[in-house]
Amino acid sequence: MNSSNESRLSLDRRGRMAVLTLHHPPVNAIDAALRTALHLELREAMRDGTVDAIILAGAGKHFSAGADIREFAKPPIEGVPNLVELIELIENASKPVIAAIHGTATGGALELALGCAYRLASPEAELGLPEVTLGFVPGAGGTQRLPRLVGVEKALDLILSGRRIGGDEAGRCGLVDEVVPAADLLLRAMAFAEGAKGRPVRRTRDFPVPEASPEVFERAEAEIAKTARGRVAPAAALACVRRATELSFAEGLRLEREAFLGLVRGPESMALRHVFFAEREAQKISGLEEGAVLPAIRRVGVVGFGTMGSGIAIAFASAGLPVVVVDETPEAVDRGLAKVRATYEEARSKGRITEADCAERIGRVCADTDYEALKTADLVIEAAFEDIDVKHAVFAKLDRVCSGSAILATNTSSLDVNVIAAATKNPARVLGLHFFSPANIMKLVEVVRPTSVSPGVLAACLDVVKRIGKIGVVVGVCEGFVGNRMLFAYRRQADFLLEEGALPPQVDRALRDFGMAMGPFQTGDLAGLDISWRIRKRLAAARPKELRYSAIADRLCEMGRLGQKTGAGWYRYEKGSRTPTPDPEVDALVLSVSAELGFTRREISDGEIVERCFGALINEGALILEEGLAARPGDIDVIWIHGYGFPRHRGGPMHWAEVSGLPKILEAVERMHANQGVLVQPSALLRQLVGDARGFSEPGTSRPTGDRS
Ligand code: 3HC
């Protein structure tokens, strides 16, 4: 027999077993239709006297990614069972239900499996409860059943981190009963059902919660205090797990559901769900034909073996792609290779990778002084000196040696990619891949779209960026692209605030308290102040002299204070230390610049720091949208979360602006405009949205990147 219910679920009979397979591509998200279908078919199978056991499986690549996250924004549908009820049905059944897990089983899907009598998983399966990363707690018994299976400490580890574990680890900790190859899952599940015959059905809720010492909770609390940075979901999840150790299962389950429902509608969850979808939306590009075959990227070349080049090489090698790096001199090649080796050796010595992994990754990177070595690369990334003539020379050589199908990318952070592309033989294969330093660690890559590049080349690059575990966002060509252009606007206000009365530690603290990973001055010291100094010098001639300009950063650089690398920048650093110490010399410089400019210094509130820095930042983001340089507001959010340390739980600057109220943001922008003129030019889009009482997230604020019409 083979039937289907709303095509979300298929039922197969194997002798006296009923196999229910979730069928909701691409990830079998459990939505209302799937819950309804499951409820119906489960009840049917439970009533059917010819069925001894039920096996739950997933079609396609995954068991299931859990509850359909899109449904959380909608009101519940009357008459449709929720996951708790569905799991209750499974756990109360008089015949065993067995979960056969391959691919991902996360959130509600794992909770479904936890309610089953037995769980089998393939070694490649990935299991986890990622709910806290979406701003809520597991809502269908995860915090109550997991500790009963794996103990409190392991349950806390999984629930608070949201991390996924592989099948083998799940087997070792007791989360699954057996680990079997994916191809054998069904057969083994049937054998399991056979073996369970005649025995009472095993119910996870009846397992006692293993004892946990108070220190286990204290350690988890300390970790939350250190890392939550204003998020509320982790503490709520901890409280749920604690209740599992103190209350009856039913009471624990009731309180977990209460916490889940409260949090899922809250601002943290709204923001984190927005980011979840924005990250995926960012992968979609305009102009790509359906079913287009993308250029394959199997071998990567890098030009320049400095800090950026070696970071990029490591990023690809770590993901399994062979890399060849070219630099001008044997010394530069040796230095680069030594840097790659040292990075991997350090990772090995810290236990992050195995000895074998370390050797394999080092072996994937080779280097040469001859461009001919790049002949077989499918993608070459130029990471040479930031000078347009140098770039032209590199691309001319690449044009000569690379295969006609190779993609050529520049890692420039500030030069015009349209100009670089136009000087090559085939501009359709040239684009920017703007990695952030350190390139082997930072997740963001701005995929810079010159007007001439083909959509297939863009899509292939987005794909390879995803393969190396990073997040690519397509941006148009302009000074600073999206991220740095917004950073300039944000930083400018921070500098002006210094002239008016603040000092670097206050500005940094106010923005850290808001949730930024670091303040702008600390970040500058880390990145090195000379990079932006060089850009300012390049742009100096074009800067209208009547416009306000803060020279404090230039003066610091002239004093040789280039940041952490020189032991001094906006702060002082003890030898070998990265801890910033406020420096009276910097205070004196700030005060003297204030006096030179004729400012009467005043008390600056933290509120004003946040309002001005973010007001200018969001206004610049709105201008960028207006100019078609970012395709969607969510793309900007993703850029600022992954490249600039904007707090993820606030959803990115554009989401945060909308939640805080665009009229308030516009008021701040208009005030800055009144004082600073064109330096803060209010965005027409922002004015229009406020006038129409609309938000960035509403239709009409997105357009294809690069479309400046
Ligand atoms: N709900 C709705 N849509 C989902 C989804 C979910 N749980 N998980 C993934 N999707 C969508 C994505 O938005 C994307 O849609 P798109 O094609 O329209 O952009 C599509 O499925 C494919 O997703 P990915 O691009 O992420 O595919 P990958 O193959 O790279 O990754 C995955 C697959 C590992 C399953 C990843 O999608 C994932 O981690 N999903 C989220 C898992 C999760 O957080 N589950 C918890 C849900 S909350 C819950 O269950 C509450 C419960 O406690 C009551």
Side-chain angles (χ1 to χ4, degrees), residues 3-49:
S3 69
S4 72
N5 192 323
E6 293 215 22
S7 37
R8 290 277 197 275
L9 192 65
S10 65
L11 164 67
D12 260 308
R13 281 300 299 269
R14 302 276 177 101
R16 296 186 64 82
M17 314 286 160
V19 182
L20 291 179
T21 306
L22 316 184
H23 204 294
H24 185 202
V27 295
N28 297 328
I30 307 173
D31 64 352
L34 181 48
R35 290 199 306 277
T36 307
L38 256 177
H39 201 257
L40 213 80
E41 293 292 353
L42 279 167
R43 283 195 17 204
E44 195 59 43
M46 283 166 192
R47 270 199 297 262
D48 189 337

Side-chain angles (χ1 to χ4, degrees), residues 147-202:
R148 288 174 156 82
L149 281 177
V150 304
V152 172
E153 192 164 7
K154 186 77 179 177
L156 280 173
D157 162 26
L158 295 182
I159 292 169
L160 298 183
S161 69
R163 75 184 176 95
R164 298 192 295 242
I165 56 172
D168 287 329
E169 186 176 345
R172 281 197 302 276
C173 71
L175 175 52
V176 300
D177 297 287
E178 201 169 289
V179 183
V180 282
D184 302 339
L185 268 176
L186 221 53
L187 274 180
R188 278 303 296 155
M190 286 165 68
F192 238 82
E194 201 58 43
K197 250 187 190 165
R199 287 201 252 145
V201 174
R202 195 171 74 162

